[in-house]
Amino acid sequence: MGEDSEFSEVQKRPTWVSHHSFLEDAFGKLEDQQLSKVRQWAATEIADLHRSTQPLFYPFSGPDILYANTFFPKAEEYVLIALEPVGPLPDFSQLSPEQQNLKLLEAKNSLFAILQYSFFRTNDMKVDLQKQGVLPVLLVFLARTNNRVLDVEYIGIDSSGTVQSTNEKAKGMVPGVKVTFTAADEDKPRTLYYFSTDLSDDGLKKTPQLAQFVDNLDQPNTYLKAASYLMHYDSTFKQIRELTLAKATNLLQDDSGMPVRVFDDNQWNLTFYGNYTAPRAPFTAEEYQTDLNQIYQKNAKIQRLNFGIGYNFGPNESNLMLAKVKR
């Protein structure tokens, strides 16, 4: 922004200078210590997915377009689904200086965990993102991954599973937002969808149109990270697990996604990376997968990861599993 920008005065304030310094430092460290390594690993180990233009389906995502775009940078359509609200996009120019400072502080607080640990902490999201919504974070991540936002539109999924333009409330529909953007050095527009809804069995029973929308995705790649082990439970999150498995052709996840037991050897080829360690608190021994641990213990040739991902974010603690449908 230059001197003639409407925000030129804002940029001179100590709050903005501090905010800008925080982002530059945090994202610089993240790029050096994390994202560059993820990008290099993905380009080598999952090269076909890294180059794929197929849609990316990412349930339990929060506003994590950051890692979705890093692992799958060529996807022409991203579909993120989580419980956190979309929220408003405030007109910064219409806010008072005090309100502008508050919005900058809210954005900084909501970004802290994923910049430090690679995931949004659930308890923090309940506080930070319930107040401001995910939209500001989505836009920050798009900008920081060298994408240019072209348009932001509130949308909803209607009873037929079709996306409709609407207002922020999207009454009677699954509320969401559609962000149209272009990647660096590209002209072709891409699309980011974020939908706010309850993915539990009880939640999906109230919004059957979400399953219709997902079912209409064209052979999506699927990504799961820091998913709170929810799909491990048959009694509460079985439907979203079955829907995800039915649509997936390629699925990349850490151990908090789906338990290894649900991947039938006759249907899936599985490749493992990293190191399997016990789930961190607040998760318990109930989420520990004995069968997954045995796979890691029996195969000394499993390639380690030089970056942290998911809840066990230490470089020698993290794991990934790539599942590919057998043709």
Side-chain angles (χ1 to χ4, degrees):
M1 296 181 190
E3 287 295 322
D4 57 345
S5 167
E6 61 181 310
F7 299 114
S8 59
E9 291 302 314
V10 176
Q11 292 176 277
K12 297 175 183 177
R13 292 187 202 139
T15 304
W16 174 269
V17 173
S18 174
H19 178 75
H20 181 262
S21 177
F22 165 76
L23 289 183
E24 288 294 302
D25 182 63
F27 276 95
K29 290 179 179 177
L30 186 70
E31 175 63 26
D32 290 341
Q33 300 173 7
Q34 186 77 355
L35 298 183
S36 61
K37 296 176 181 179
V38 170
R39 202 175 294 114
Q40 183 179 23
W41 178 87
T44 303
E45 295 300 324
I46 57 169
D48 56 334
L49 304 188
H50 193 63
R51 296 191 303 264
S52 175
T53 60
Q54 291 301 114
L56 180 71
F57 178 50
Y58 186 1
F60 303 100
S61 61
D64 182 27
I65 187 60
L66 179 65
Y67 280 86
N69 187 252
T70 302
F71 277 108
F72 304 87
K74 299 296 185 181
E76 294 183 356
E77 187 174 283
Y78 297 86
V79 179
L80 278 58
I81 305 176
L83 192 59
E84 292 71 39
V86 174
L89 185 61
D91 185 346
F92 211 69
S93 64
Q94 297 301 310
L95 301 178
S96 69
E98 292 76 17
Q99 290 171 323
Q100 290 174 348
N101 291 343
L102 179 60
K103 289 301 178 184
L104 292 174
L105 183 60
E106 287 177 351
K108 178 179 177 180
N109 290 341
S110 60
L111 289 169
F112 180 80
I114 193 167
L115 296 179
Q116 295 293 316
Y117 309 121
S118 92
F119 61 92
F120 288 96
R121 291 182 293 198
T122 303
N123 289 338
D124 292 342
M125 286 200 295
K126 288 179 180 177
V127 176
D128 297 330
L129 298 183
Q130 286 293 335
K131 288 191 299 184
Q132 72 172 42
V134 303
L135 185 52
V137 179
L138 290 172
L139 297 181
V140 168
F141 284 159
L142 283 173
R144 284 284 168 170
T145 46
N146 297 317
N147 295 293
R148 179 171 175 263
V149 174
L150 303 177
D151 186 52
V152 177
E153 178 186 8
Y154 287 105
I155 57 172
I157 304 176
D158 66 17
S159 59
S160 68
T162 303
V163 172
Q164 303 282 0
S165 179
T166 182
N167 58 28
E168 185 186 342
K169 301 302 180 183
K171 291 184 178 180
M173 295 189 279
V174 177
V177 66
K178 175 184 177 182
V179 182
T180 306
F181 66 97
T182 54
D185 302 322
E186 293 184 11
D187 296 324
K188 185 177 181 179
R190 304 197 206 177
T191 305
L192 163 63
Y193 293 103
Y194 175 89
F195 295 105
S196 170
T197 194
D198 178 1
L199 290 174
S200 71
D201 291 347
D202 287 342
L204 290 179
K205 190 179 297 183
K206 298 173 184 176
T207 56
Q209 64 265 45
L210 181 72
Q212 291 177 277
F213 172 81
V214 173
D215 193 52
N216 287 333
L217 293 176
D218 181 20
Q219 295 185 316
N221 296 315
T222 303
Y223 181 50
L224 296 168
K225 173 171 70 69
S228 297
Y229 302 92
L230 295 174
M231 284 186 280
H232 287 225
Y233 295 97
D234 294 339
S235 58
T236 49
F237 286 88
K238 187 176 182 180
Q239 186 175 344
I240 184 60
R241 187 178 75 200
E242 292 181 345
L243 176 63
T244 302
L245 281 172
K247 285 302 297 181
T249 52
N250 304 292
L251 185 150
L252 182 69
Q253 67 162 34
D254 66 24
D255 64 287
S256 72
M258 286 186 270
V260 71
R261 62 178 167 81
V262 304
F263 293 90
D264 189 328
D265 288 340
N266 295 319
Q267 298 179 20
W268 297 92
N269 288 315
L270 304 181
T271 306
F272 299 90
Y273 302 92
N275 186 32
Y276 180 64
T277 52
R280 288 175 180 262
F283 304 107
T284 66
E286 192 172 0
E287 284 85 26
Y288 182 78
Q289 298 181 67
T290 302
D291 47 0
L292 183 57
N293 182 60
Q294 289 174 349
I295 290 171
Y296 275 85
Q297 293 300 316
K298 290 178 180 179
N299 190 349
K301 294 183 179 180
I302 291 177
Q303 182 191 102
R304 295 297 186 251
L305 298 172
N306 66 342
F307 56 86
I309 199 76
Y311 296 126
N312 289 352
F313 50 84
N316 294 315
E317 298 176 342
S318 300
N319 65 79
L320 286 170
M321 183 188 81
L322 176 62
K324 286 179 167 283
V325 168
K326 291 183 177 180
R327 304 296 184 181

